[in-house]
Amino acid sequence: MLKLPGLIDPHVHFRDPGQTHKEDWDSGTASALAGGVTMVLAMPNTKPPIFDQATLDLALEAARRKARCDYAQYLGAGPENAAEAARLAPRAAALKMYLDSTFGQLRLDDMTLWLEHFRQWPGKTPIVTHSESRSMAAALWMAHMFDKPIHIAHISLREEVLLIRAAKEHGVKVTCEVCPHHLFLMQPAPSSAPSFGDHGAGPGGGRTEVRPRLATQADVDALWANLDVIDCFATDHAPHTLAEKDGENPPPGFPGVETLLPLLLTAVHDGRISLDQLIEKTITNPRRIFNLPEQPQTWVEVDEKAEYEIKASELHSRCGWTPFEGWKVTGKVTKVVLRGREAFKEGQILVEPGFGRNVRD
Ligand code: NCD
Ligand code: ZN
């Protein structure tokens, strides 16, 4: 039996308020606990998006009633909320900026809008950017100009990890995260049946849609080769239902909060990462980067020899599928204790909705 501190996932989408048929604070935090994750930072692209006092209150009230593990809520950077976001910063996980994709009220049409956020955000927590490739380079430059910490979400490309290495060497206050799906899965082959990494064929069509997209073998190899530059493992848990994924216009996103630890334990078992790296990138670093409190009397028990198959039918997310269906993993979460309470044991969630605490309170 292996005992770990509770994991922190700094990047989840729990769809609450607004799209609770995909997930809510209850099902999302149940899924987290079953995966050994005892603290989550929730993204603001809900309906409505979380970008001012009223919407922050709305999300936090839902979380207060329903969350089973500890949490904090991100604020989204919109075109007109830089001052209010800065004022609300102490109550937020951090600030999220969507620089590539377009997101309703979180849409930042030109770079002068980014500028206001970099100018005003207090910087006790980072500005977290969804910024791919060249927009990542622009964001790095802005962070450097204002001497503010920036955290690059879900890096997926060789050029990204190498640019971040160079930026760190030049003293930019940059940190970054990588998602399991960008380490373990690759983009589908253009003509043949979609291939899903080195574990054989996986689902096709809409189920391979995720942002950033799954990348090439060269990108995946570069991420593994430069793990020392990568500060955190984060899931970007982005649940959409199977009907949505298999329908017309499938929305991008993979669930992941419950499969993070088994996949990483398997990488430890296979000698691809060390247990120290796992702990550093899922606990120590996220705690430091996001200025998160320690969770007293909190730990995860793992049977590191247990082999089993990942099955969506056994996961707690409301979305009903996983891109890792049928994968054989080594390392099973057997028990989770959160602030002295048994929260998960032998497949059962043992804490009620509302047990979770807002770590910014
Ligand atoms: C995210 C979601 O579903 O909220 N999807 C994803 O593929 N990561 C949104 C996004 O970042 O595009
Ligand atoms: Zn995301």
Side-chain angles (χ1 to χ4, degrees):
M1 197 269 287
L2 178 70
K3 200 170 154 180
L4 299 169
L7 271 65
I8 299 169
D9 188 345
H11 192 148
V12 301
H13 298 263
F14 281 170
R15 315 301 190 200
D16 193 354
Q19 294 178 306
T20 52
H21 68 286
K22 299 176 195 264
E23 201 78 290
D24 71 357
W25 281 100
D26 178 352
S27 58
T29 52
S31 196
L33 284 173
V37 172
T38 55
M39 194 188 294
V40 292
L41 307 186
M43 285 295 164
N45 64 329
T46 47
K47 287 194 170 161
I50 309 310
F51 69 104
D52 62 7
Q53 174 141 358
T55 51
L56 181 61
D57 287 346
L58 193 67
L60 290 178
E61 175 56 19
R64 191 187 63 74
R65 286 189 292 111
K66 295 192 235 176
R68 299 173 193 255
C69 74
D70 294 348
Y71 59 87
Q73 169 67 50
Y74 279 91
L75 281 167
E80 282 162 2
N81 71 336
E84 181 157 25
R87 186 175 63 75
L88 293 170
R91 295 181 61 203
L95 182 72
K96 178 69 183 290
M97 287 177 81
Y98 290 91
L99 302 184
D100 286 302
S101 29
T102 48
F103 255 115
Q105 289 165 80
L106 301 182
R107 187 179 166 131
L108 297 169
D109 280 326
D110 76 71
M111 287 187 285
T112 61
L113 300 174
W114 318 3
L115 213 50
E116 270 325 298
H117 285 284
F118 277 100
R119 204 192 303 277
Q120 298 193 41
W121 185 252
K124 287 204 174 63
T125 56
I127 293 177
V128 178
T129 60
H130 179 143
S131 58
E132 300 178 38
S133 188
R134 292 176 187 199
S135 45
M136 187 198 84
L140 284 179
W141 169 76
M142 242 182 238
H144 198 44
M145 186 163 65
F146 289 100
D147 196 29
K148 293 274 163 79
I150 183 171
H151 179 81
I152 312 295
H154 42 50
I155 66 166
S156 64
L157 302 177
R158 176 179 176 276
E159 61 173 359
E160 291 168 353
V161 74
L162 294 182
L163 195 68
I164 291 171
R165 177 181 289 287
K168 283 187 172 187
E169 285 165 8
H170 283 269
V172 181
K173 290 179 181 161
V174 57
T175 54
C176 67
E177 66 189 31
V178 69
C179 303
H181 52 264
H182 291 124
L183 286 175
F184 294 108
L185 302 174
M186 269 181 298
Q187 66 186 201
S191 53
S192 59
S195 117
F196 241 19
D198 51 10
H199 280 65
R207 297 196 208 179
T208 64
E209 284 294 335
V210 67
R211 298 293 175 274
R213 290 185 167 79
L214 297 178
T216 66
Q217 179 77 60
D219 292 308
V220 174
D221 290 347
L223 296 177
W224 282 102
N226 292 280
L227 273 185
D228 61 316
V229 178
I230 299 173
D231 301 277
C232 306
F233 295 126
T235 66
D236 193 11
H237 178 82
H240 302 282
T241 64
L242 260 187
E244 292 163 340
K245 294 298 279 182
D246 291 344
E248 302 230 326
N249 284 324
F254 294 166
V257 71
E258 197 167 342
T259 45
L260 169 72
L261 183 53
L263 290 168
L264 292 176
L265 287 168
T266 305
V268 172
H269 177 262
D270 294 345
R272 304 184 82 182
I273 58 170
S274 68
L275 192 58
D276 282 349
Q277 280 176 309
L278 187 159
I279 292 170
E280 172 192 272
K281 294 180 201 304
T282 58
I283 300 150
T284 330
N285 288 348
R287 185 181 289 151
R288 187 193 70 247
I289 292 165
F290 293 93
N291 198 12
L292 300 167
E294 291 209 20
Q295 295 175 290
Q297 288 183 283
T298 298
W299 70 87
V300 178
E301 293 180 16
V302 160
D303 179 349
E304 77 258 59
K305 302 229 166 61
E307 293 178 22
Y308 70 104
E309 246 180 57
I310 293 177
K311 293 193 188 105
S313 59
E314 292 171 6
L315 301 175
H316 294 74
S317 169
R318 198 160 282 163
C319 73
W321 76 288
T322 164
F324 301 104
E325 184 72 37
W327 280 41
K328 291 189 176 52
V329 287
T330 307
K332 197 176 178 72
V333 177
T334 53
K335 184 171 161 182
V336 177
V337 176
L338 173 54
R339 288 181 279 102
R341 273 275 301 275
E342 272 188 1
F344 174 80
K345 196 175 169 183
E346 287 153 13
Q348 300 299 315
I349 305 289
L350 302 174
V351 284
E352 62 282 6
F355 182 73
R357 288 274 162 278
N358 180 356
V359 300
R360 295 292 191 232
D361 268 353

